[in-house]
Coordinates of all heavy atoms in Angstrom, one line a residue:
A1 N 152.8 -25.7 -127.6 CA 152.1 -24.6 -126.9 C 153.0 -23.3 -127.1 O 152.4 -22.2 -127.3 CB 152.0 -24.9 -125.4
N2 N 154.3 -23.5 -127.0 CA 155.2 -22.3 -127.2 C 155.1 -21.8 -128.6 O 155.1 -20.6 -128.9 CB 156.6 -22.7 -126.9 CG 157.5 -21.4 -126.7 OD1 157.0 -20.4 -126.5 ND2 158.8 -21.6 -126.9
Q3 N 155.0 -22.7 -129.6 CA 154.8 -22.3 -131.0 C 153.5 -21.5 -131.2 O 153.5 -20.5 -132.0 CB 154.9 -23.5 -131.9 CG 155.7 -23.3 -133.1 CD 155.8 -24.7 -133.9 OE1 155.1 -25.6 -133.6 NE2 156.7 -24.7 -134.9
L4 N 152.5 -22.0 -130.6 CA 151.2 -21.3 -130.7 C 151.3 -19.9 -130.1 O 150.8 -18.9 -130.8 CB 150.1 -22.0 -129.9 CG 148.7 -21.3 -129.9 CD1 148.2 -21.1 -131.3 CD2 147.8 -22.1 -129.1
T5 N 152.0 -19.7 -129.0 CA 152.2 -18.4 -128.5 C 152.9 -17.4 -129.5 O 152.5 -16.3 -129.6 CB 153.0 -18.5 -127.2 OG1 152.3 -19.3 -126.3 CG2 153.2 -17.1 -126.5
V6 N 153.9 -18.0 -130.1 CA 154.6 -17.2 -131.1 C 153.7 -16.8 -132.3 O 153.7 -15.7 -132.8 CB 155.9 -17.9 -131.6 CG1 156.5 -17.2 -132.8 CG2 156.9 -18.1 -130.5
H7 N 152.9 -17.8 -132.7 CA 152.0 -17.5 -133.8 C 151.0 -16.4 -133.4 O 150.7 -15.5 -134.2 CB 151.2 -18.8 -134.3 CG 152.1 -19.7 -135.0 ND1 152.8 -19.4 -136.2 CD2 152.3 -21.1 -134.9 CE1 153.4 -20.4 -136.6 NE2 153.1 -21.5 -135.9
I8 N 150.4 -16.5 -132.2 CA 149.5 -15.5 -131.8 C 150.1 -14.2 -131.7 O 149.5 -13.2 -132.1 CB 148.9 -15.9 -130.4 CG1 148.0 -17.1 -130.6 CG2 148.2 -14.8 -129.7 CD1 147.4 -17.7 -129.3
E9 N 151.4 -14.1 -131.2 CA 152.1 -12.8 -131.2 C 152.3 -12.3 -132.6 O 152.1 -11.1 -132.8 CB 153.4 -13.0 -130.5 CG 153.3 -13.2 -129.0 CD 154.7 -13.5 -128.3 OE1 155.7 -13.3 -129.0 OE2 154.6 -13.9 -127.1
N10 N 152.6 -13.1 -133.5 CA 152.8 -12.7 -134.9 C 151.5 -12.1 -135.5 O 151.6 -11.1 -136.2 CB 153.4 -13.8 -135.8 CG 154.8 -14.1 -135.4 OD1 155.6 -13.3 -134.8 ND2 155.3 -15.3 -135.8
V11 N 150.4 -12.8 -135.3 CA 149.2 -12.4 -135.9 C 148.7 -11.1 -135.2 O 148.3 -10.2 -135.9 CB 148.1 -13.5 -135.7 CG1 146.7 -13.0 -136.0 CG2 148.4 -14.7 -136.5
T12 N 148.9 -10.9 -133.9 CA 148.5 -9.7 -133.3 C 149.4 -8.5 -133.7 O 148.9 -7.4 -133.8 CB 148.4 -9.8 -131.7 OG1 149.7 -10.3 -131.3 CG2 147.3 -10.8 -131.3
T13 N 150.7 -8.8 -133.9 CA 151.6 -7.8 -134.3 C 151.2 -7.3 -135.7 O 151.2 -6.0 -136.0 CB 153.0 -8.3 -134.4 OG1 153.4 -8.7 -133.1 CG2 154.0 -7.3 -134.9
I14 N 150.8 -8.2 -136.6 CA 150.4 -7.7 -137.9 C 149.1 -6.9 -137.8 O 149.0 -5.9 -138.4 CB 150.2 -9.0 -138.9 CG1 151.5 -9.6 -139.2 CG2 149.4 -8.6 -140.2 CD1 151.3 -11.0 -139.8
A15 N 148.2 -7.4 -137.0 CA 146.9 -6.7 -136.9 C 147.1 -5.3 -136.3 O 146.5 -4.3 -136.7 CB 145.9 -7.5 -136.0
K16 N 148.0 -5.2 -135.3 CA 148.3 -3.9 -134.7 C 149.1 -2.9 -135.6 O 148.9 -1.7 -135.6 CB 149.1 -4.0 -133.4 CG 148.2 -4.6 -132.3 CD 149.1 -4.8 -131.0 CE 148.3 -5.5 -129.9 NZ 149.2 -5.7 -128.8
T17 N 150.0 -3.5 -136.4 CA 150.9 -2.7 -137.3 C 150.1 -2.2 -138.5 O 150.4 -1.1 -138.9 CB 152.1 -3.6 -137.7 OG1 152.8 -4.1 -136.6 CG2 153.1 -2.8 -138.6
I18 N 149.3 -3.0 -139.0 CA 148.5 -2.6 -140.2 C 147.0 -2.8 -139.9 O 146.4 -3.8 -140.4 CB 148.9 -3.5 -141.5 CG1 150.4 -3.6 -141.6 CG2 148.3 -2.9 -142.7 CD1 150.9 -4.6 -142.6
P19 N 146.4 -2.0 -139.1 CA 145.1 -2.1 -138.7 C 144.0 -1.7 -139.7 O 143.3 -0.7 -139.4 CB 145.0 -1.3 -137.4 CG 145.9 -0.2 -137.6 CD 147.0 -0.8 -138.5
T20 N 144.0 -2.3 -140.8 CA 143.0 -2.0 -141.9 C 142.0 -3.1 -142.0 O 142.3 -4.2 -141.6 CB 143.7 -1.7 -143.2 OG1 144.3 -3.0 -143.7 CG2 144.8 -0.7 -143.2
I21 N 140.9 -2.7 -142.6 CA 139.8 -3.7 -142.8 C 140.3 -4.8 -143.7 O 140.1 -6.0 -143.5 CB 138.5 -3.1 -143.3 CG1 138.0 -2.2 -142.1 CG2 137.5 -4.1 -143.7 CD1 136.8 -1.3 -142.6
S22 N 141.0 -4.4 -144.8 CA 141.4 -5.4 -145.8 C 142.4 -6.4 -145.2 O 142.3 -7.6 -145.4 CB 142.0 -4.8 -147.1 OG 143.1 -4.0 -146.8
I23 N 143.4 -5.9 -144.5 CA 144.4 -6.8 -143.9 C 143.7 -7.7 -142.8 O 144.0 -8.9 -142.7 CB 145.6 -6.1 -143.2 CG1 146.4 -5.3 -144.3 CG2 146.5 -7.0 -142.4 CD1 147.0 -6.2 -145.3
S24 N 142.9 -7.1 -142.0 CA 142.2 -7.9 -140.9 C 141.3 -8.9 -141.5 O 141.2 -10.1 -141.1 CB 141.4 -6.9 -140.1 OG 142.2 -5.9 -139.5
Q25 N 140.6 -8.5 -142.6 CA 139.7 -9.5 -143.3 C 140.5 -10.7 -143.8 O 140.1 -11.8 -143.7 CB 139.0 -8.8 -144.5 CG 138.2 -9.7 -145.4 CD 137.7 -9.0 -146.6 OE1 137.8 -7.8 -146.7 NE2 137.3 -9.8 -147.6
H26 N 141.7 -10.4 -144.4 CA 142.6 -11.4 -144.9 C 143.0 -12.4 -143.8 O 143.0 -13.6 -144.0 CB 143.8 -10.8 -145.6 CG 144.7 -11.8 -146.1 ND1 144.5 -12.5 -147.3 CD2 145.9 -12.3 -145.7 CE1 145.5 -13.3 -147.6 NE2 146.4 -13.2 -146.6
I27 N 143.4 -11.8 -142.7 CA 143.7 -12.7 -141.5 C 142.6 -13.5 -141.1 O 142.7 -14.7 -140.9 CB 144.2 -11.8 -140.3 CG1 145.5 -11.1 -140.6 CG2 144.3 -12.6 -139.0 CD1 145.9 -10.0 -139.6
F28 N 141.4 -12.9 -140.9 CA 140.2 -13.7 -140.5 C 139.8 -14.8 -141.5 O 139.5 -15.9 -141.1 CB 139.0 -12.7 -140.3 CG 139.2 -11.8 -139.1 CD1 138.5 -10.6 -139.0 CD2 140.1 -12.0 -138.1 CE1 138.6 -9.7 -138.0 CE2 140.3 -11.1 -137.0 CZ 139.5 -10.0 -137.0
I29 N 139.8 -14.5 -142.8 CA 139.4 -15.5 -143.8 C 140.4 -16.6 -143.7 O 140.0 -17.8 -143.7 CB 139.4 -14.9 -145.2 CG1 138.1 -14.0 -145.3 CG2 139.4 -16.0 -146.2 CD1 138.1 -13.3 -146.6
H30 N 141.7 -16.3 -143.6 CA 142.7 -17.4 -143.6 C 142.5 -18.3 -142.4 O 142.4 -19.5 -142.5 CB 144.1 -16.8 -143.5 CG 145.2 -17.9 -143.3 ND1 145.5 -18.7 -144.4 CD2 145.9 -18.2 -142.3 CE1 146.5 -19.6 -143.9 NE2 146.7 -19.3 -142.6
L31 N 142.3 -17.7 -141.2 CA 142.1 -18.5 -140.0 C 140.8 -19.3 -140.0 O 140.7 -20.4 -139.5 CB 142.2 -17.6 -138.7 CG 143.6 -17.0 -138.5 CD1 143.5 -15.9 -137.4 CD2 144.6 -18.1 -138.2
L32 N 139.7 -18.6 -140.5 CA 138.4 -19.3 -140.6 C 138.5 -20.5 -141.6 O 137.9 -21.5 -141.3 CB 137.3 -18.3 -140.9 CG 137.0 -17.3 -139.8 CD1 136.0 -16.3 -140.4 CD2 136.4 -18.0 -138.6
R33 N 139.1 -20.3 -142.7 CA 139.3 -21.4 -143.6 C 140.0 -22.6 -143.0 O 139.7 -23.7 -143.2 CB 140.0 -20.9 -144.9 CG 139.0 -20.2 -145.9 CD 139.7 -20.1 -147.2 NE 138.7 -19.4 -148.1 CZ 139.0 -18.4 -148.9 NH1 140.2 -17.8 -148.9 NH2 138.0 -17.9 -149.7
E34 N 141.1 -22.3 -142.3 CA 141.9 -23.3 -141.7 C 141.0 -24.1 -140.6 O 141.1 -25.3 -140.5 CB 143.1 -22.8 -141.0 CG 144.1 -22.3 -142.0 CD 144.7 -23.4 -142.9 OE1 144.9 -24.5 -142.4 OE2 144.8 -23.1 -144.1
E35 N 140.2 -23.3 -139.9 CA 139.3 -23.9 -138.9 C 138.2 -24.8 -139.6 O 138.0 -25.9 -139.2 CB 138.6 -22.8 -138.1 CG 137.7 -23.4 -137.0 CD 138.5 -24.1 -136.0 OE1 139.8 -23.9 -135.8 OE2 137.9 -24.9 -135.2
I36 N 137.7 -24.4 -140.8 CA 136.8 -25.2 -141.5 C 137.4 -26.5 -142.0 O 136.8 -27.6 -141.8 CB 136.2 -24.4 -142.7 CG1 135.3 -23.3 -142.3 CG2 135.6 -25.3 -143.7 CD1 134.9 -22.3 -143.4
V37 N 138.7 -26.4 -142.4 CA 139.4 -27.6 -142.8 C 139.5 -28.6 -141.6 O 139.3 -29.8 -141.8 CB 140.8 -27.3 -143.4 CG1 141.6 -28.5 -143.5 CG2 140.6 -26.6 -144.7
E38 N 139.8 -28.1 -140.5 CA 140.0 -28.9 -139.3 C 138.6 -29.5 -138.9 O 138.6 -30.7 -138.5 CB 140.6 -28.1 -138.1 CG 142.0 -27.9 -138.3 CD 142.7 -27.4 -137.1 OE1 142.1 -27.3 -136.0 OE2 143.9 -27.1 -137.2
I39 N 137.6 -28.8 -139.0 CA 136.2 -29.3 -138.7 C 135.9 -30.4 -139.6 O 135.4 -31.5 -139.2 CB 135.2 -28.2 -138.7 CG1 135.3 -27.2 -137.6 CG2 133.7 -28.8 -138.7 CD1 134.5 -25.9 -137.7
E40 N 136.1 -30.2 -140.9 CA 135.8 -31.2 -141.9 C 136.6 -32.5 -141.8 O 136.1 -33.6 -142.1 CB 135.9 -30.6 -143.3 CG 134.8 -29.6 -143.6 CD 134.9 -28.9 -144.9 OE1 135.9 -29.0 -145.5 OE2 133.9 -28.3 -145.3
K41 N 137.8 -32.3 -141.3 CA 138.7 -33.5 -141.1 C 138.4 -34.2 -139.8 O 139.0 -35.2 -139.5 CB 140.2 -33.1 -141.2 CG 140.6 -32.8 -142.6 CD 142.1 -32.4 -142.6 CE 142.6 -32.2 -144.0 NZ 144.0 -31.8 -144.1
G42 N 137.6 -33.6 -138.9 CA 137.4 -34.1 -137.6 C 138.4 -33.8 -136.6 O 138.4 -34.4 -135.5
I43 N 139.4 -32.9 -136.9 CA 140.4 -32.6 -136.0 C 139.9 -31.7 -134.9 O 140.3 -31.8 -133.7 CB 141.6 -31.9 -136.8 CG1 142.2 -32.8 -137.8 CG2 142.7 -31.3 -135.8 CD1 143.2 -32.2 -138.7
S44 N 139.1 -30.7 -135.3 CA 138.5 -29.8 -134.3 C 137.0 -30.1 -134.1 O 136.3 -30.2 -135.1 CB 138.7 -28.4 -134.8 OG 138.2 -27.4 -133.9
Q45 N 136.6 -30.2 -132.9 CA 135.2 -30.5 -132.6 C 134.4 -29.3 -132.7 O 134.8 -28.2 -132.2 CB 135.1 -31.2 -131.2 CG 135.8 -32.5 -131.1 CD 135.4 -33.5 -132.1 OE1 134.2 -33.7 -132.3 NE2 136.3 -34.2 -132.7
P46 N 133.2 -29.3 -133.3 CA 132.4 -28.1 -133.5 C 132.0 -27.5 -132.2 O 131.7 -26.3 -132.1 CB 131.1 -28.7 -134.2 CG 131.6 -29.9 -134.9 CD 132.7 -30.5 -134.0
E47 N 132.0 -28.2 -131.1 CA 131.6 -27.6 -129.8 C 132.8 -26.9 -129.1 O 132.6 -26.3 -128.1 CB 131.0 -28.7 -128.8 CG 129.8 -29.4 -129.4 CD 130.2 -30.6 -130.3 OE1 131.3 -31.2 -130.1 OE2 129.5 -30.8 -131.3
S48 N 134.0 -27.1 -129.6 CA 135.2 -26.6 -128.9 C 135.7 -25.3 -129.5 O 136.1 -25.2 -130.6 CB 136.3 -27.6 -129.0 OG 137.5 -27.1 -128.5
P49 N 135.6 -24.2 -128.7 CA 136.1 -22.9 -129.2 C 137.5 -22.7 -128.9 O 138.0 -21.6 -129.0 CB 135.2 -21.9 -128.4 CG 135.0 -22.5 -127.1 CD 134.9 -24.0 -127.4
S50 N 138.3 -23.7 -128.6 CA 139.6 -23.5 -128.1 C 140.7 -24.0 -129.1 O 141.8 -24.3 -128.8 CB 139.9 -24.2 -126.8 OG 139.6 -25.6 -126.9
S51 N 140.3 -24.2 -130.4 CA 141.2 -24.6 -131.4 C 142.3 -23.5 -131.6 O 142.1 -22.3 -131.3 CB 140.6 -24.9 -132.7 OG 140.2 -23.7 -133.4
D52 N 143.4 -23.9 -132.1 CA 144.5 -22.9 -132.3 C 144.1 -21.8 -133.2 O 144.4 -20.6 -133.0 CB 145.8 -23.6 -132.9 CG 146.4 -24.6 -131.9 OD1 146.0 -24.6 -130.7 OD2 147.3 -25.3 -132.3
H53 N 143.4 -22.1 -134.3 CA 143.0 -21.1 -135.3 C 142.0 -20.1 -134.6 O 142.1 -18.9 -134.9 CB 142.4 -21.7 -136.5 CG 143.4 -22.5 -137.3 ND1 143.4 -23.9 -137.3 CD2 144.5 -22.1 -138.0 CE1 144.4 -24.3 -138.0 NE2 145.1 -23.3 -138.5
L54 N 141.1 -20.6 -133.9 CA 140.1 -19.7 -133.2 C 140.8 -18.9 -132.2 O 140.5 -17.7 -132.0 CB 139.0 -20.5 -132.6 CG 138.0 -21.0 -133.7 CD1 136.8 -21.7 -133.0 CD2 137.5 -20.0 -134.6
R55 N 141.8 -19.4 -131.5 CA 142.5 -18.6 -130.5 C 143.3 -17.5 -131.1 O 143.3 -16.4 -130.6 CB 143.4 -19.5 -129.6 CG 142.6 -20.4 -128.7 CD 143.4 -21.5 -128.0 NE 144.5 -21.0 -127.2 CZ 145.4 -21.8 -126.7 NH1 145.4 -23.1 -126.9 NH2 146.3 -21.3 -125.9
M56 N 143.9 -17.8 -132.3 CA 144.6 -16.7 -133.1 C 143.6 -15.7 -133.6 O 143.9 -14.5 -133.5 CB 145.4 -17.3 -134.2 CG 146.6 -18.0 -133.8 SD 147.7 -18.5 -135.2 CE 146.9 -20.1 -135.6
L57 N 142.4 -16.1 -134.0 CA 141.4 -15.2 -134.5 C 140.9 -14.3 -133.4 O 140.8 -13.1 -133.5 CB 140.2 -15.9 -135.1 CG 139.2 -15.1 -135.7 CD1 138.7 -15.6 -137.1 CD2 138.0 -14.9 -134.8
I58 N 140.7 -14.8 -132.2 CA 140.3 -14.0 -131.1 C 141.3 -13.0 -130.7 O 141.0 -11.9 -130.4 CB 139.9 -15.0 -129.9 CG1 138.6 -15.7 -130.2 CG2 139.7 -14.2 -128.6 CD1 138.3 -16.9 -129.3
A59 N 142.6 -13.5 -130.7 CA 143.7 -12.6 -130.4 C 143.8 -11.4 -131.4 O 143.9 -10.2 -131.0 CB 145.0 -13.3 -130.3
A60 N 143.7 -11.7 -132.7 CA 143.7 -10.7 -133.7 C 142.5 -9.7 -133.5 O 142.6 -8.5 -133.6 CB 143.7 -11.3 -135.1
H61 N 141.3 -10.3 -133.3 CA 140.1 -9.5 -133.1 C 140.3 -8.5 -131.9 O 139.9 -7.4 -132.0 CB 138.9 -10.4 -132.9 CG 137.6 -9.8 -132.9 ND1 137.1 -9.1 -131.8 CD2 136.7 -9.6 -133.9 CE1 135.9 -8.7 -132.1 NE2 135.6 -8.9 -133.4
T62 N 140.8 -9.0 -130.9 CA 141.0 -8.2 -129.7 C 142.0 -7.1 -129.9 O 141.9 -6.1 -129.3 CB 141.4 -9.1 -128.5 OG1 140.4 -10.2 -128.3 CG2 141.6 -8.4 -127.2
A63 N 143.0 -7.4 -130.7 CA 144.1 -6.4 -131.0 C 143.6 -5.2 -131.8 O 144.3 -4.2 -131.8 CB 145.3 -7.1 -131.6
L64 N 142.5 -5.4 -132.5 CA 142.0 -4.3 -133.4 C 141.0 -3.4 -132.7 O 140.4 -3.8 -131.7 CB 141.3 -5.0 -134.6 CG 142.2 -5.8 -135.5 CD1 141.4 -6.7 -136.4 CD2 143.1 -4.8 -136.4
S65 N 140.8 -2.3 -133.3 CA 139.7 -1.5 -132.7 C 138.4 -2.2 -133.0 O 138.2 -3.0 -133.9 CB 139.7 -0.1 -133.5 OG 139.2 -0.2 -134.8
P66 N 137.4 -2.0 -132.1 CA 136.1 -2.7 -132.3 C 135.5 -2.5 -133.6 O 134.9 -3.5 -134.2 CB 135.3 -2.1 -131.1 CG 136.2 -1.7 -130.1 CD 137.4 -1.2 -130.9
S67 N 135.5 -1.3 -134.2 CA 134.8 -1.1 -135.5 C 135.5 -1.8 -136.6 O 134.9 -2.5 -137.5 CB 134.7 0.4 -135.8 OG 136.0 1.0 -135.9
I68 N 136.9 -1.8 -136.7 CA 137.6 -2.5 -137.7 C 137.4 -4.0 -137.5 O 137.2 -4.7 -138.5 CB 139.1 -2.1 -137.7 CG1 139.2 -0.7 -138.2 CG2 139.9 -3.1 -138.5 CD1 140.7 -0.2 -138.1
A69 N 137.5 -4.5 -136.3 CA 137.4 -5.9 -136.0 C 136.0 -6.4 -136.5 O 135.9 -7.5 -137.1 CB 137.6 -6.2 -134.6
A70 N 135.0 -5.7 -136.1 CA 133.6 -6.1 -136.4 C 133.4 -6.1 -137.9 O 132.8 -7.1 -138.5 CB 132.6 -5.2 -135.8
E71 N 133.8 -5.1 -138.6 CA 133.6 -5.0 -140.1 C 134.4 -6.1 -140.8 O 133.9 -6.8 -141.7 CB 133.9 -3.6 -140.6 CG 133.5 -3.5 -142.1 CD 133.6 -2.1 -142.6 OE1 133.6 -1.1 -141.8 OE2 133.6 -1.9 -143.8
A72 N 135.6 -6.2 -140.4 CA 136.5 -7.2 -141.1 C 136.0 -8.7 -140.9 O 136.0 -9.5 -141.8 CB 137.9 -7.1 -140.6
L73 N 135.5 -9.0 -139.7 CA 135.0 -10.3 -139.4 C 133.7 -10.5 -140.1 O 133.5 -11.6 -140.7 CB 134.8 -10.5 -137.9 CG 134.3 -11.9 -137.4 CD1 135.3 -12.9 -137.9 CD2 134.2 -11.9 -135.9
A74 N 132.8 -9.5 -140.2 CA 131.6 -9.6 -140.9 C 131.8 -9.9 -142.4 O 131.2 -10.8 -143.1 CB 130.7 -8.4 -140.8
V75 N 132.8 -9.1 -143.0 CA 133.1 -9.3 -144.4 C 133.7 -10.7 -144.7 O 133.4 -11.3 -145.7 CB 134.0 -8.2 -144.9 CG1 134.5 -8.4 -146.3 CG2 133.3 -6.8 -144.9
A76 N 134.6 -11.1 -143.7 CA 135.2 -12.4 -143.9 C 134.2 -13.6 -143.9 O 134.2 -14.5 -144.7 CB 136.2 -12.7 -142.8
V77 N 133.2 -13.5 -142.9 CA 132.2 -14.5 -142.8 C 131.3 -14.5 -144.1 O 131.0 -15.5 -144.7 CB 131.3 -14.4 -141.6 CG1 130.1 -15.3 -141.6 CG2 132.2 -14.7 -140.3
L78 N 130.9 -13.3 -144.5 CA 130.1 -13.2 -145.7 C 130.9 -13.7 -146.9 O 130.3 -14.4 -147.8 CB 129.7 -11.7 -146.0 CG 128.8 -11.4 -147.1 CD1 127.5 -12.2 -147.0 CD2 128.6 -9.9 -147.3
S79 N 132.1 -13.4 -147.0 CA 133.0 -13.9 -148.1 C 133.0 -15.5 -148.1 O 132.9 -16.1 -149.2 CB 134.4 -13.4 -148.0 OG 135.2 -13.9 -149.0
L80 N 133.2 -16.1 -147.0 CA 133.2 -17.5 -146.9 C 131.8 -18.1 -147.2 O 131.7 -19.2 -147.9 CB 133.6 -18.0 -145.5 CG 135.0 -17.7 -145.1 CD1 135.2 -18.0 -143.7 CD2 136.0 -18.6 -146.0
A81 N 130.7 -17.4 -146.9 CA 129.4 -17.9 -147.1 C 129.0 -17.8 -148.6 O 128.1 -18.5 -149.0 CB 128.4 -17.1 -146.3
T82 N 129.7 -16.9 -149.3 CA 129.3 -16.7 -150.7 C 130.4 -17.2 -151.7 O 130.5 -16.7 -152.8 CB 129.0 -15.2 -151.0 OG1 130.1 -14.4 -150.7 CG2 127.8 -14.8 -150.2
D83 N 131.2 -18.1 -151.2 CA 132.3 -18.6 -152.0 C 131.8 -19.3 -153.3 O 131.1 -20.3 -153.2 CB 133.2 -19.6 -151.2 CG 134.5 -20.0 -151.9 OD1 134.6 -19.7 -153.1 OD2 135.3 -20.7 -151.3
S84 N 132.0 -18.7 -154.4 CA 131.4 -19.2 -155.7 C 132.1 -20.5 -156.2 O 131.6 -21.0 -157.2 CB 131.4 -18.1 -156.7 OG 132.8 -17.7 -157.0
K85 N 133.2 -20.9 -155.6 CA 133.9 -22.1 -156.1 C 133.2 -23.4 -155.7 O 133.5 -24.4 -156.2 CB 135.4 -22.1 -155.6 CG 136.2 -20.9 -156.1 CD 137.6 -21.0 -155.4 CE 138.0 -19.6 -155.2 NZ 139.0 -19.5 -154.1
E86 N 132.3 -23.3 -154.8 CA 131.7 -24.4 -154.2 C 130.2 -24.6 -154.7 O 129.7 -23.6 -155.2 CB 131.6 -24.3 -152.6 CG 132.9 -24.0 -152.0 CD 133.8 -25.3 -151.8 OE1 133.2 -26.4 -151.8 OE2 135.0 -25.1 -151.6
A87 N 129.6 -25.7 -154.5 CA 128.2 -25.9 -154.7 C 127.5 -24.9 -153.8 O 128.0 -24.7 -152.7 CB 127.8 -27.3 -154.4
P88 N 126.3 -24.4 -154.2 CA 125.7 -23.3 -153.4 C 125.5 -23.6 -151.9 O 125.6 -22.7 -151.1 CB 124.4 -23.1 -154.1 CG 124.6 -23.6 -155.5 CD 125.6 -24.7 -155.4
A89 N 125.2 -24.8 -151.5 CA 124.9 -25.0 -150.1 C 126.1 -25.2 -149.3 O 126.1 -25.0 -148.1 CB 124.0 -26.2 -150.0
Q90 N 127.2 -25.7 -149.9 CA 128.4 -26.0 -149.1 C 129.0 -24.9 -148.3 O 129.3 -25.0 -147.1 CB 129.5 -26.6 -150.0 CG 129.2 -28.0 -150.4 CD 130.2 -28.6 -151.3 OE1 130.9 -27.9 -152.1 NE2 130.4 -29.9 -151.2
P91 N 129.2 -23.7 -148.9 CA 129.8 -22.6 -148.1 C 128.9 -22.2 -146.9 O 129.4 -22.0 -145.8 CB 129.9 -21.4 -149.1 CG 129.9 -22.0 -150.4 CD 129.1 -23.3 -150.3
I92 N 127.6 -22.2 -147.1 CA 126.7 -21.9 -146.0 C 126.8 -22.9 -144.9 O 126.8 -22.5 -143.7 CB 125.2 -21.8 -146.5 CG1 125.0 -20.7 -147.6 CG2 124.2 -21.6 -145.4 CD1 125.3 -19.3 -147.1
E93 N 126.8 -24.2 -145.2 CA 127.0 -25.2 -144.2 C 128.3 -25.1 -143.4 O 128.3 -25.3 -142.2 CB 126.8 -26.6 -144.8 CG 125.4 -26.9 -145.3 CD 124.4 -26.7 -144.2 OE1 124.6 -27.1 -143.0 OE2 123.3 -26.0 -144.5
R94 N 129.3 -24.7 -144.1 CA 130.6 -24.6 -143.5 C 130.6 -23.4 -142.5 O 131.1 -23.5 -141.4 CB 131.7 -24.4 -144.5 CG 132.0 -25.6 -145.3 CD 133.0 -25.4 -146.3 NE 133.3 -26.7 -146.9 CZ 133.8 -26.9 -148.1 NH1 134.1 -25.8 -148.9 NH2 134.1 -28.1 -148.6
V95 N 130.0 -22.3 -142.9 CA 129.9 -21.1 -142.0 C 129.0 -21.5 -140.8 O 129.3 -21.1 -139.7 CB 129.4 -19.9 -142.8 CG1 129.0 -18.8 -141.9 CG2 130.4 -19.4 -143.8
R96 N 127.9 -22.2 -141.1 CA 127.1 -22.6 -139.9 C 127.9 -23.5 -138.9 O 127.7 -23.3 -137.7 CB 125.9 -23.4 -140.4 CG 124.8 -22.6 -141.0 CD 123.6 -23.5 -141.4 NE 122.6 -22.6 -142.1 CZ 121.7 -23.0 -142.9 NH1 121.6 -24.3 -143.1 NH2 120.8 -22.2 -143.4
A97 N 128.7 -24.3 -139.4 CA 129.6 -25.1 -138.5 C 130.5 -24.2 -137.7 O 130.7 -24.5 -136.5 CB 130.4 -26.1 -139.3
L98 N 131.0 -23.2 -138.3 CA 131.9 -22.2 -137.5 C 131.0 -21.5 -136.5 O 131.5 -21.3 -135.4 CB 132.5 -21.2 -138.5 CG 133.7 -21.7 -139.3 CD1 134.0 -20.6 -140.3 CD2 134.9 -21.9 -138.4
L99 N 129.8 -21.0 -136.9 CA 129.0 -20.2 -136.0 C 128.5 -21.0 -134.8 O 128.1 -20.4 -133.8 CB 127.9 -19.6 -136.8 CG 128.3 -18.6 -137.8 CD1 127.1 -18.0 -138.6 CD2 129.1 -17.4 -137.2
R100 N 128.4 -22.3 -135.0 CA 127.9 -23.2 -133.8 C 128.9 -23.2 -132.7 O 128.6 -23.7 -131.6 CB 127.7 -24.6 -134.3 CG 126.3 -24.7 -135.1 CD 126.0 -26.1 -135.4 NE 125.6 -26.1 -136.8 CZ 126.0 -26.9 -137.7 NH1 126.8 -27.9 -137.4 NH2 125.6 -26.8 -138.9
R101 N 130.1 -22.8 -132.9 CA 131.1 -22.8 -131.9 C 130.8 -21.8 -130.9 O 131.0 -21.3 -130.0 CB 132.5 -22.5 -132.5 CG 132.9 -23.6 -133.4 CD 134.1 -23.2 -134.1 NE 135.0 -24.3 -134.5 CZ 135.5 -25.3 -133.7 NH1 135.2 -25.3 -132.5 NH2 136.2 -26.2 -134.2

């Protein structure tokens, strides 16, 4: 729990220090990808919004201005949904699993 607090502080510090859409998008994509991995491994339950990655994402989102946070999150989700490295349906299903939270 203490380690999570430090991670959350680090993520929010980065978001506050460099409050740009590109940095925020990078943070969101990283955390969302990690959450997808946990969902697929069965570590994080799709109904539970309290995973560590989602808590860090919420903290970063809250630390940003609403306009930057909204645009960066939208671009991050769109980027995950259109990931060309996967079969066409896989990225969409992964994003759906995230949005069900």
Side-chain angles (χ1 to χ4, degrees):
N2 194 22
Q3 223 176 11
L4 176 61
T5 303
V6 171
H7 287 308
I8 289 173
E9 288 174 14
N10 290 339
V11 168
T12 56
T13 298
I14 293 168
K16 288 177 184 178
T17 304
I18 314 169
T20 65
I21 292 170
S22 62
I23 295 297
S24 303
Q25 174 190 347
H26 181 77
I27 291 169
F28 293 159
I29 286 175
H30 174 74
L31 293 170
L32 290 172
R33 277 193 179 131
E34 291 298 318
E35 186 62 23
I36 288 169
V37 168
E38 287 191 4
I39 290 170
E40 290 176 346
K41 287 183 177 178
I43 296 169
S44 181
Q45 299 302 315
E47 303 82 32
S48 171
S50 62
S51 76
D52 293 352
H53 295 106
L54 289 182
R55 289 170 60 191
M56 285 188 273
L57 185 135
I58 291 166
H61 188 278
T62 304
L64 295 163
S65 72
S67 62
I68 289 176
E71 187 170 341
L73 185 57
V75 172
V77 170
L78 183 59
S79 176
L80 290 171
T82 58
D83 189 351
S84 63
K85 297 176 218 158
E86 305 280 340
Q90 286 180 329
I92 299 294
E93 290 307 315
R94 289 178 175 157
V95 169
R96 284 184 181 158
L98 282 171
L99 295 177
R100 281 187 228 134
R101 295 174 150 306

